[in-house]
Amino acid sequence: MLSKDNKNVFLPLICMKCKTNLNSEIMTHHGKVAAKAFSMLILMLMCSLSVYSQNNVSGTLQDANSGSPVQYANVSLLRQSDSVMVSYAAANDKGVFNLQMVPNGQYRLVVYFVGYENHEQLIEVNKSMDLGVIKIKPGTTTIGEVVVKGERPLFAVDGEKTYYNTAEDPTVQTGTASDVLQNAPGVSVDVEGNVTLRGTSSVEIWINDKPSHLNTENLKTYLQQMPANSIDHVEVITNPSARYGSKADGIINIVTTTKVKRNQFISFGANASIKPYVSPWVSYVWSNEKISINLYTNFSYSRNRNYGYGDITMYRDALDGGLEMISTEHDSSRSVDHSFGGGLHFSLDYEIDSMNSLSFWGGTWPNWRRGTSYDELYRLFPADSSLTHYISNGSSRSRSYWAGFGVYFQHKFDKEGHNISLDINGSGWGWGSKGLTDRQFLSPEEWLRKKNTQYNSSSFDVDAELTYNRPYSETGEISVGYYGELEFQRNHSLVDTMREDVWVRDTMQSITYRAPSFTNQIFFTLQQKFGNFTIKPGVRFEHTYLILNYPDVVPDTFGIRKHYFHVRPSLHLSYRTESMHNFRLSYTFRSSNPDVTQLTRRLDFGEESFSGGNPGLLSILTHSLEAGWQKYWTKFGSVGATLYFRAKSRGVDEITVPMFHEYYGREVPYEYPVNVGKAYNTGLELNTMYRPNAMFNIRLYANVYHSYLETLYNNELYKSQMWSYSFYLSLWAKLWKRLEISVSGNYRSPSQSLFSVSHAYYGLNAGLRCDFFDKKLSIYLNANDIFNWNKWGRSNNSPYYVSSMDYNYDSRSIALGFTLRFGKMELENQARQGAASESSGQGGQGGM
């Protein structure tokens, strides 16, 4: 008889040797990466210094009437050929300005300042020069066709949105959209162009109030090419209200100002790493004042290696009221797979007239993969001291595809925000694989079993959203809309086993099902401003109909048909003081339905375990309350804190227990979903950005929270609580207007779910990017997970099932890439370089 405290009694030396060999192989594979990273980083630094001749242009600004210095005026130097801004400076308290790092060429010098007329003059630079005294005439200042009435604050909070008014930040005007996002609250962009918000990559990028439909590579190109001086402001939404149907944790909306002229643009590049990974790509853009057309294609190859090991111990109730060990086991595995893929994307934007616009996008992503795997397991049964030992070797080939399309139409009734829009999107994906596994049993008897598998899955969905926005006053607006979605899933699997040279269909592991679903939603939001105070209530009504059937079962006694109805209210309040203190209070109610496969009565059998559904599962209900404060300084940066409380009832989690089934002839792990009784998360988020100028910042994001779980299991009330925390620290700088340096580190402490704890996760990254020839060529170098710390692990501590599993993968790598661009870069903000697969947004457009 064994108690649960003796769960580590069985740790065979051969298992320890297996784990040691596994770790040794990992370290051998990655041991030389650090030296390579250091050498390549030094090479990039040397390259950045080998640029063409640079000059300084200085001068002194004086009032044309009084002769007094014009203090703190904005001075820009624009290339005469295409008006690209190449340098910027602000005059000091004596009216002196100094434009640095100016290449030889012909330029327009532009001086603008509130209360004075704009001043322009042509200059030719072939050496450093002093322009002497420049007289500026007092008068009404106009920029383009807009009369300057007053300066907007650099940062502001209004309703659920945080604004970064880029047009009011002269220090970022010579940069790119990537530089702009580096300075937006809570947003980070690494040297490869990957965007995160508050430490998570679950974020949608919108352009001018519409989802961008840009895939990952397109988004990187877009942000690294788009000039900052074509952006009016950036809106950051960290807790989307009922107005948005977005499934992401946040939304970033980039609002531009540039009007499109005739433009033709082509760019190509390649990204590669030592994993290895390589991906060449080509993008083409053509546009005029009415039409913008984009084509994008790429190819990719990658190799991935994974290593894992774990320990599992199962118990049953003993006659004396304690626990009796059923079995304990150790498993080690490794796998290698090779992936080949590509993509083809097309998009078209058509401005029918000043009041009507139409957009279309489409694309496809095919992929092929082949892999091999190795697995070794030792299992001890204490009751009779018997030992099971086997080694499995497998090979597989798979194919997959994704294809999607979208159409967007908007009609404006006026230019004050009164509009109606229709957004239709569709996508489909498919996956199929064939695999062969040889399992050699070495104990208790030697024999060979072969297994042949065929899996095919597919899904198609189409959705539409109709949105109507109507301002009812200068300070108020309403938005109403309808969203509908149809989705169809299909899964078909065949499993055959061979023993003693005879193939037999495994009817227990072979399964076919179909699962259509229908969703209808109606939403309403209102936004009203009272000075610096904004109130935004909203509500979304949802109905979902889920269907699951098994055509291979007659009659189908496992099928599911279920309706879900939900009402999702939200309320966002915000207030901004004149001294840039921003206060926010928000409440949202969210509901999510179980996956239809979690509701099935049919058992799903695997190699060493089986699972089942729970037809009685209820929807997950989440109440979120946030109270935040943020203070912005133009010269320093920002400091903020958010106190949040999230109460989740009927959350769905998995429970694993030992259960006997005649298919296995013994007790094996059985997993099934349950509704967790109560779950609370109460925490504090802290974020600080030190930003002395637009080309340097240090960010710290920290999150500390207390989690509490309570559920009824086997007529016993189980409670669990844990303190968890995470932080993200980054440094970003842009030197000599062409070299970017980025260093970031993150740590996430263990966190809990029902009867389970995720292990700690941490990593350190560094990178460089250098621009040459007026940003026509960009080269980047990135060192990912420098110390190879990244791994994934989880421990299970349910009453009858205790396990600990860790997986290592090729996270440490050196990535190198380049991009060549030809065309007028200042007009690239109109590009839609390809449709998206993984990052297309499905939320509404326009409105609030």
Side-chain angles (χ1 to χ4, degrees):
M1 190 72 60
L2 296 174
S3 70
K4 194 171 182 179
D5 295 333
N6 302 120
K7 61 185 179 182
N8 293 321
V9 168
F10 177 61
L11 289 175
L13 293 177
I14 49 178
C15 296
M16 297 300 294
K17 179 180 178 181
C18 180
K19 184 183 294 189
T20 301
N21 292 339
L22 207 59
N23 290 332
S24 175
E25 184 174 349
I26 297 171
M27 296 306 295
T28 300
H29 171 67
H30 294 291
K32 299 180 181 180
V33 175
K36 293 181 180 179
F38 181 77
S39 301
M40 297 184 76
L41 289 171
I42 293 298
L43 179 62
M44 283 289 290
L45 283 170
M46 294 175 64
C47 290
S48 68
L49 298 175
S50 61
V51 295
Y52 45 85
S53 176
Q54 304 292 314
N55 309 287
N56 293 339
V57 177
S58 58
T60 303
L61 306 179
Q62 290 185 0
D63 188 295
N65 295 338
S66 65
S68 60
V70 179
Q71 301 176 340
Y72 312 117
N74 302 310
V75 183
S76 301
L77 199 62
L78 283 70
R79 205 160 52 202
Q80 189 174 339
S81 60
D82 53 17
S83 297
V84 169
M85 185 183 292
V86 297
S87 188
Y88 167 85
N92 61 18
D93 57 354
K94 297 180 180 179
V96 177
F97 66 89
N98 186 21
L99 299 164
Q100 300 179 343
M101 306 296 291
V102 179
N104 294 343
Q106 295 181 334
Y107 299 95
R108 281 191 301 125
L109 181 78
V110 180
V111 181
Y112 57 97
F113 192 59
V114 176
Y116 288 85
E117 294 182 1
N118 289 353
H119 172 87
E120 293 191 18
Q121 68 182 71
L122 299 178
I123 64 173
E124 182 174 354
V125 178
N126 50 35
K127 62 179 181 180
S128 294
M129 56 194 303
D130 186 349
L131 300 177
V133 175
I134 300 176
K135 298 291 186 177
I136 308 299
K137 297 179 181 180
T140 302
T141 301
T142 60
I143 302 176
E145 299 177 353
V146 181
V147 178
V148 177
K149 298 180 180 180
E151 185 178 0
R152 295 177 298 178
L154 188 60
F155 300 99
V157 175
D158 190 7
E160 64 187 317
K161 300 178 181 179
T162 299
Y163 291 85
Y164 169 38
N165 291 311
T166 312
E168 308 299 332
D169 189 355
T171 63
V172 80
Q173 296 302 307
T174 59
T176 65
S178 181
D179 302 328
V180 170
L181 292 187
Q182 285 286 4
N183 293 276
V187 182
S188 294
V189 185
D190 65 21
V191 294
E192 293 186 47
N194 300 303
V195 180
T196 58
L197 176 61
R198 297 169 83 178
T200 176
S201 59
S202 177
V203 56
E204 290 180 1
I205 303 297
W206 288 24
I207 311 294
N208 295 324
D209 300 317
K210 296 187 293 184
S212 61
H213 299 304
L214 298 173
N215 72 350
T216 302
E217 197 57 55
N218 297 334
L219 181 61
K220 297 176 185 178
T221 301
Y222 182 94
L223 297 176
Q224 293 170 3
Q225 296 170 1
M226 181 181 181
N229 60 4
S230 67
I231 300 176
D232 180 73
H233 66 273
V234 175
E235 301 170 0
V236 180
I237 307 173
T238 58
N239 187 22
S241 67
R243 165 64 184 83
Y244 303 95
S246 170
K247 297 179 181 179
D249 293 336
I251 295 172
I252 300 173
N253 183 29
I254 301 173
V255 180
T256 64
T257 58
T258 301
K259 183 180 179 181
V260 181
K261 299 178 181 179
R262 183 169 297 278
N263 180 33
Q264 184 168 307
F265 181 83
I266 187 170
S267 63
F268 64 89
N271 308 314
S273 75
I274 63 174
K275 294 187 67 172
Y277 167 80
V278 62
S279 177
W281 56 270
V282 178
S283 173
Y284 175 77
V285 179
W286 181 91
S287 64
N288 59 22
E289 295 183 355
K290 289 284 189 180
I291 300 175
S292 176
I293 298 174
N294 290 254
L295 288 172
Y296 176 88
T297 185
N298 82 313
F299 168 80
S300 65
Y301 164 75
S302 65
R303 185 190 69 183
N304 298 284
R305 298 200 292 183
N306 300 279
Y307 309 86
Y309 45 86
D311 298 286
I312 299 175
T313 305
M314 293 194 302
Y315 301 88
R316 66 166 71 96
D317 290 322
L319 297 177
D320 61 0
L323 292 175
E324 178 184 17
M325 181 185 291
I326 301 172
S327 64
T328 183
E329 65 185 57
H330 175 83
D331 178 80
S332 60
S333 62
R334 59 178 179 264
S335 64
V336 179
D337 69 73
H338 302 262
S339 176
F340 307 83
L344 177 63
H345 306 276
F346 167 81
S347 68
L348 181 148
D349 293 338
Y350 177 43
E351 296 291 333
I352 302 172
D353 52 42
S354 61
M355 309 303 284
N356 297 278
S357 62
L358 178 68
S359 299
F360 169 81
W361 65 267
T364 182
W365 281 98
N367 181 270
W368 295 265
R369 188 182 299 266
R370 57 182 175 85
T372 59
S373 62
Y374 171 87
D375 182 67
E376 184 170 12
L377 180 139
Y378 297 87
R379 180 183 297 118
L380 176 69
F381 298 91
D384 57 6
S385 299
S386 61
L387 175 68
T388 297
H389 175 206
Y390 63 73
I391 296 175
S392 297
N393 288 281
S395 62
S396 64
R397 292 180 179 270
S398 66
R399 69 194 186 283
S400 63
Y401 71 89
W402 178 94
F405 72 92
V407 179
Y408 175 81
F409 173 77
Q410 184 183 63
H411 171 71
K412 300 178 181 178
F413 298 98
D414 56 36
K415 297 184 178 181
E416 306 300 324
H418 185 195
N419 61 72
I420 188 170
S421 63
L422 176 64
D423 185 26
I424 300 174
N425 295 278
S427 66
W429 66 266
W431 175 78
S433 72
K434 293 183 178 181
L436 179 64
T437 302
D438 291 342
R439 175 165 292 181
Q440 180 66 57
F441 285 84
L442 303 175
S443 177
E445 62 180 15
E446 292 191 19
W447 61 283
L448 176 67
R449 193 197 69 175
K450 292 179 177 290
K451 179 179 179 181
N452 186 31
T453 59
Q454 297 183 54
Y455 299 108
N456 288 281
S457 297
S458 61
S459 174
F460 173 78
D461 72 89
V462 60
D463 62 78
E465 181 169 283
L466 181 67
T467 305
Y468 176 75
N469 304 299
R470 176 65 185 268
Y472 58 85
S473 69
E474 293 184 357
T475 58
E477 183 179 7
I478 60 172
S479 180
V480 296
Y482 164 80
Y483 173 83
E485 180 182 18
L486 166 64
E487 182 177 8
F488 182 83
Q489 300 180 48
R490 181 181 179 274
N491 183 81
H492 179 63
S493 60
L494 295 175
V495 179
D496 298 312
T497 59
M498 184 177 70
R499 187 176 181 183
E500 298 178 353
D501 298 326
V502 177
W503 284 103
V504 178
R505 173 62 46 84
D506 190 330
T507 58
M508 303 294 283
Q509 292 194 38
S510 301
I511 188 172
T512 299
Y513 70 79
R514 296 169 183 169
S517 64
F518 307 88
T519 300
N520 293 280
Q521 301 176 359
I522 298 174
F523 62 86
F524 170 84
T525 59
L526 179 147
Q527 180 167 295
Q528 178 64 52
K529 298 181 180 179
F530 303 93
N532 289 338
F533 177 76
T534 302
I535 180 172
K536 183 178 181 180
V539 64
R540 181 176 286 259
F541 302 92
E542 298 180 350
H543 167 249
T544 302
Y545 181 38
L546 301 178
I547 301 174
L548 176 66
N549 57 65
Y550 296 88
D552 60 335
V553 178
V554 180
D556 185 0
T557 57
F558 302 112
I560 294 293
R561 294 175 180 268
K562 202 156 190 177
H563 293 269
Y564 292 94
F565 297 91
H566 301 293
V567 180
R568 290 173 44 189
S570 67
L571 177 64
H572 288 72
L573 308 175
S574 66
Y575 178 72
R576 182 182 73 249
T577 68
E578 299 298 331
S579 57
M580 292 303 294
H581 288 276
N582 294 268
F583 301 91
R584 175 186 299 170
L585 180 65
S586 66
Y587 166 78
T588 61
F589 172 75
R590 290 188 175 96
S591 57
S592 57
N593 303 319
D595 186 89
V596 67
T597 57
Q598 293 179 312
L599 301 170
T600 180
R601 301 178 180 89
R602 186 169 182 174
L603 298 178
D604 186 9
F605 292 87
E607 276 296 290
E608 299 288 348
S609 63
F610 68 113
S611 61
N614 182 354
L617 284 181
L618 302 174
S619 297
I620 305 169
L621 307 179
T622 304
H623 299 267
S624 296
L625 182 64
E626 292 189 5
W629 163 83
Q630 195 87 16
K631 167 66 176 175
Y632 298 100
W633 294 268
T634 302
K635 296 294 184 180
F636 173 82
S638 65
V639 176
T642 300
L643 183 65
Y644 63 88
F645 173 75
R646 294 185 177 93
K648 182 179 293 186
S649 61
R650 308 189 317 212
V652 175
D653 229 320
E654 304 288 338
I655 289 181
T656 303
V657 297
M659 182 174 290
F660 177 87
H661 198 281
E662 59 272 10
Y663 176 72
Y664 302 97
R666 59 182 176 87
E667 289 176 290
V668 298
Y670 171 65
E671 185 179 72
Y672 63 98
V674 297
N675 283 117
V676 180
K678 298 178 182 178
Y680 304 110
N681 278 3
T682 305
L684 177 66
E685 289 181 343
L686 300 173
N687 62 87
T688 300
M689 178 175 67
Y690 173 60
R691 177 188 176 275
N693 59 65
M695 297 301 156
F696 177 84
N697 65 59
I698 298 176
R699 297 169 179 268
L700 172 64
Y701 170 80
N703 180 23
V704 181
Y705 66 94
H706 177 261
S707 60
Y708 173 82
L709 297 171
E710 178 182 305
T711 192
L712 191 64
Y713 175 68
N714 276 1
N715 296 320
E716 289 188 47
L717 185 63
Y718 283 84
K719 299 180 181 180
S720 177
Q721 55 184 333
M722 173 183 284
W723 281 96
S724 301
Y725 60 92
S726 62
F727 71 83
Y728 174 83
L729 179 65
S730 69
L731 180 148
W732 175 85
K734 193 167 188 177
L735 308 176
W736 309 298
K737 300 184 179 179
R738 61 178 47 85
L739 176 66
E740 289 188 31
I741 300 175
S742 174
V743 180
S744 64
N746 64 85
Y747 178 83
R748 187 195 67 192
S749 72
S751 58
Q752 71 167 349
S753 57
L754 182 62
F755 297 135
S756 181
V757 174
S758 296
H759 299 171
Y761 174 94
Y762 43 90
L764 181 66
N765 307 314
L768 297 173
R769 194 183 94 227
C770 194
D771 297 323
F772 302 92
F773 313 117
D774 297 330
K775 298 186 178 69
K776 287 183 171 62
L777 171 64
S778 295
I779 299 175
Y780 79 81
L781 175 68
N782 206 17
N784 299 301
D785 190 22
I786 296 173
F787 298 105
N788 198 37
W789 288 332
N790 281 352
K791 63 180 181 179
W792 179 88
R794 178 177 291 274
S795 298
N796 190 299
N797 56 357
S798 67
Y800 302 100
Y801 183 84
V802 178
S803 67
S804 179
M805 298 183 181
D806 287 285
Y807 298 93
N808 292 77
Y809 49 94
D810 280 343
S811 57
R812 178 164 62 180
S813 65
I814 301 298
L816 180 67
F818 76 91
T819 300
L820 278 172
R821 312 177 183 93
F822 303 93
K824 294 186 177 181
M825 296 175 62
E826 75 274 13
L827 297 179
E828 292 167 19
N829 62 309
Q830 298 298 324
R832 302 286 190 275
Q833 295 175 332
S837 56
E838 66 270 23
S839 62
S840 64
Q842 305 301 326
Q845 288 76 38
M848 303 172 291

